[in-house]
Amino acid sequence: MKTLYRTLMIIGLLLAALICYGYGFSSGTVIFVVLGMVLELGFWLGLFSNKLIPKS
């Protein structure tokens, strides 16, 4: 369940970032582009988190 929750959270961050980028670039609103950057950073940090890599 924890892995499913983490996966859904990472996918949600990526989708939210893409939506913010799309709206920000089409309307010229800088705050949405910055928000997209922050959400994308959260995506990448969540994707490469050490907790996702099983310890052997």
Side-chain angles (χ1 to χ4, degrees), residues 28-54:
T29 310
V30 176
I31 190 70
F32 284 105
V33 175
V34 172
L35 181 60
M37 292 170 78
V38 170
L39 291 169
E40 185 181 1
L41 179 64
F43 166 77
W44 286 112
L45 291 176
L47 188 65
F48 291 114
S49 173
N50 288 335
K51 295 180 181 179
L52 286 178
I53 302 170

